[in-house]
Structures are given as structure tokens and as C-alpha cells.
Amino acid sequence: MAKFDKVAVLNKIGSTGMVPVFYHKDAEVAKKVVKGCYDGGVRAFEFTNRGDFAHEVFAEVVKFAAKECPEMAMGVGSVVDPATAALYIQLGACFVVGPLFNPEIAKVCNRRLVAYTPGCGTVSEVGFAQELGCDLCKVFPGDVYGPNFVKGMMAPMPWSKLMVTGGVEPSKENLTAWIKAGVFCVGMGSKLFPKDKVAAEDWAYVTDKCAEALGYIAEARNK
């Protein structure tokens, strides 16, 4: 069962404004990355369903996070079908994220009060997702749509909560642009975890980069 329900998860994501997105086939590496992010102030983490036996890695990381990162809401990403969503929810996923919008996933998640954040590329898709209880929708790929897409959508639908993922960078300029456009939060992957830093096991870099990015987000929100 999810450690945190959808209300708690949305509060965590909203308070920090950032969700790291990461996958690694080695559970030990994934654990170190999660802990590094946690030490940097992150409170919601998306482990992507990208490789064979990814669910087994996730199961180990969730148990680790429960002890070492007690306030971290662990979620799963890259989910495109309800069966996969159900599998990860059974393993303790507190939220489910996908590159696309599948109404059947919404049913599975809503039944267990687990937040479902589907990938949407049009205003209509966001509207349909909201009708099915998706409080937070993902604009993906973000670098294709850009901040103006978010700004334009928020004008007629100001109640919308949007997470932008894809091409987001941990820089003051990039994060400020998205926050000013009106996003609820950002999802960030490769730019937050350079392959060379992960290979070198430089977990202090991960912690510092997360803290830096969260600082830029807080600053942009307060302007």
C-alpha cells in the first residue's frame, strides 16, 4: 500500500516544486541517488519503468527509502498501461506518471487514492485527464512545447496543476522560465544526473545540484 496518499503526495510535490526522474538497473546505485536527492531537499522521487526487472529494483529501493528517507514519496514513471500501474502500486508506489494519458490507469489509481500524472500534449487532453481525477498533469516533452504553451493553457484554465518534464535543466534561467509560465512543478532527469557523475558515484554532486535547483524554484516563486 502507498505510504502517502494522493493528497499528501501533491502537497510534497507542490511544496518543493521538483520531482527527480531516474532509472538504473543496479538497486544499490538507485538507492544512493534517492538518498542524495533526499539530502538535497527532494521529497518526491520518480523511478522510471525503463528496463527489464525494473519493478524488482523499485521494490528494493522503496524498502530502503522507507527507512533512510522517511518523508520521501516514491513514485513510478514511464507507465503506459493499467497492469503495470497495478504492479507498482502493489510494490508501494505513491504516485504513477506516464508519457501518455490512459483512462484505464486513472481508474486503477483512483481506486487506491494514488496520484496519476499522465503525459498530455494538448489543452483537450489535460481537460479529459482532469475529468477523470488527474489533479496533476504532465506536459511532455517540455522542450518541444516550451513555457509559452503552459502560459497559454493557464490563462483559460488557471486551476490546472501542470508538471513539465523533458528538457528541463537545473539552471536559474530555465527553471525561472517554467515557474513564471505557471507550472506546479518540474520533472528533471538526465540534466540532474549526468552519466559521468553517476558512474563516478559522486553523490555529493547530486545532493548539491538538487539543493541548487530547489533554491532557484523557491526564488522564482517568491518574485
Side-chain angles (χ1 to χ4, degrees):
M1 193 172 87
K3 184 176 181 180
F4 302 103
D5 66 15
K6 67 187 298 185
V7 175
V9 169
L10 289 173
N11 284 335
K12 287 178 181 291
I13 294 175
S15 65
T16 59
M18 182 177 77
V19 179
V21 179
F22 182 77
Y23 167 77
H24 201 284
K25 64 181 180 181
D26 187 333
E28 295 308 311
V29 172
K31 290 175 185 177
K32 292 293 196 306
V33 169
V34 169
K35 186 62 164 62
C37 290
Y38 190 75
D39 291 343
V42 170
R43 291 298 178 265
F45 188 99
E46 177 187 329
F47 181 82
T48 56
N49 178 49
R50 293 285 176 90
D52 292 337
F53 307 106
H55 64 288
E56 294 182 2
V57 177
F58 181 78
E60 286 191 48
V61 177
V62 167
K63 292 173 184 176
F64 166 83
K67 294 180 179 179
E68 303 298 328
C69 314
E71 290 304 312
M72 182 75 93
M74 291 296 299
V76 59
S78 301
V79 175
V80 299
D81 62 278
T84 302
L87 171 64
Y88 277 92
I89 290 173
Q90 197 64 23
L91 294 174
C94 295
F95 60 98
V96 175
V97 183
L100 49 76
F101 171 44
N102 184 333
E104 296 305 311
I105 295 177
K107 293 178 183 178
V108 171
C109 291
N110 288 339
R111 187 176 293 118
R112 299 282 285 271
L113 295 187
V114 169
Y116 171 42
T117 297
C120 299
T122 67
V123 177
S124 293
E125 274 191 317
V126 171
F128 287 138
Q130 289 173 338
E131 286 179 8
L132 290 181
C134 300
D135 299 301
L136 177 63
C137 294
K138 182 170 82 167
V139 173
F140 175 80
D143 51 357
V144 173
Y145 290 100
N148 283 337
F149 178 79
V150 173
K151 186 177 180 180
M153 183 185 297
M154 293 299 289
M157 298 165 64
W159 57 82
S160 301
K161 288 181 172 59
L162 304 173
M163 173 171 76
V164 60
T165 304
V168 180
E169 302 174 8
S171 67
K172 184 174 182 178
E173 180 182 13
N174 187 274
L175 292 172
T176 298
W178 287 114
I179 295 300
K180 289 304 179 185
V183 299
F184 184 71
C185 64
V186 300
M188 205 177 328
S190 60
K191 304 291 185 180
L192 200 58
F193 311 110
K195 289 185 178 179
D196 59 328
K197 297 295 183 181
V198 174
E201 299 186 355
D202 190 350
W203 312 129
Y205 172 89
V206 172
T207 296
D208 293 342
K209 188 57 67 172
C210 284
E212 180 184 341
L214 291 173
Y216 292 144
I217 291 171
E219 184 179 343
R221 284 175 165 180
N222 292 328
K223 281 185 178 179

